[in-house]
Amino acid sequence: MSLLKIAKMGNPILRKIAEPVSTKELETVEFQKFIDDMVETMRDGDGLGLAAPQVHVSKQVVVIESFENERYPDAPTIPLLILVNPVFKYMSRETRTGWEGCLSVDNLRGKVTRSRAVKLEAVDRNGNALVLEWEDFPAVVLQHETDHLRGHLFIDRMKDLSTLTHLDEFGKFWIKGENDVREV
Ligand code: ZN
């Protein structure tokens, strides 16, 4: 496995609509290795999610993983999940506002309002159908990551840019150690 270079805000690949992955492509050794590399890159960056455009590949693949650890003792547990060609089937009108950060938007945090509950369909790395009905923080992670496949960053979703803050100031003036500010 190898670490992949992360595309940062300003790179046009983050603004493109990613292409779906065909069954044939998904089955290739190269693509399976790419998925493994995405997982390794997410873990190395201490992120809880990563979308393929963030590593310069404009394909509809997302990896997610979250678990309690020393740095984030209240983090919800999401076992490693690979989503290929994800599509939302439902997004609640009820919303939830929380802090978000992103591996492609270094050292910034901002408050984003999103649907509180979602239903998402995708396939896993073996091409098997997945249906997720998630609420609260895990639902936010799904929305943040799927946004990357549509060319959106969390800052696009901010209604009020006055909460956009550098990490240093976030620690000083906003909430320290809140669990839902890991980079995704
Ligand atoms: Zn992100």
Side-chain angles (χ1 to χ4, degrees):
M1 288 194 282
S2 46
L3 293 177
L4 305 168
K5 196 164 179 244
I6 293 183
K8 304 291 182 176
M9 180 170 61
N11 189 315
I13 199 156
L14 294 172
R15 296 309 192 170
K16 278 178 70 175
I17 295 174
E19 288 174 18
V21 183
S22 68
T23 308
K24 204 175 162 190
E25 185 178 20
L26 184 59
E27 287 171 350
T28 62
V29 173
E30 292 76 18
F31 207 87
Q32 290 293 318
K33 181 183 180 299
F34 170 63
I35 291 172
D36 290 336
D37 289 345
M38 281 185 68
V39 172
E40 194 186 6
T41 304
M42 168 180 67
R43 289 173 175 165
D44 181 72
D46 200 24
L48 58 73
L50 187 72
Q54 291 183 276
V55 289
H56 304 87
V57 175
S58 195
K59 294 280 180 176
Q60 293 184 20
V61 185
V62 161
V63 299
I64 293 170
E65 183 180 54
S66 174
F67 45 85
E68 271 183 39
N69 59 32
E70 234 169 65
R71 226 175 121 190
Y72 305 102
D74 301 321
T77 296
I78 306 173
L80 180 63
L81 186 67
I82 316 291
L83 299 175
V84 178
N85 304 335
V87 178
F88 284 110
K89 293 294 175 180
Y90 169 77
M91 300 177 90
S92 68
R93 293 173 74 105
E94 189 190 347
T95 57
R96 174 190 194 281
T97 300
W99 290 98
E100 293 186 28
C102 181
L103 291 170
S104 295
V105 186
D106 280 342
N107 297 318
L108 291 175
R109 296 285 183 271
K111 270 192 175 177
V112 185
T113 299
R114 297 194 185 265
S115 292
R116 197 190 67 78
V118 297
K119 179 179 177 182
L120 181 139
E121 292 181 2
V123 296
D124 67 13
R125 67 186 301 166
N126 301 312
N128 299 315
L130 287 173
V131 181
L132 305 176
E133 290 186 70
W134 284 6
E135 296 182 343
D136 298 315
F137 180 64
V140 168
V141 176
L142 291 179
Q143 290 169 81
H144 179 116
E145 295 306 334
T146 306
D147 259 2
H148 277 300
L149 307 180
R150 313 284 187 257
H152 299 302
L153 298 173
F154 77 86
I155 50 170
D156 307 350
R157 302 293 189 195
M158 291 180 68
K159 284 182 181 158
D160 177 3
L161 287 171
S162 69
T163 65
L164 191 63
T165 175
H166 272 276
L167 203 50
D168 287 349
E169 309 296 1
F170 181 79
K172 272 187 236 162
F173 297 106
W174 301 87
I175 302 160
K176 206 167 191 175
E178 186 167 297
N179 66 39
D180 60 355
V181 292
R182 288 176 69 191
E183 288 165 329
V184 286

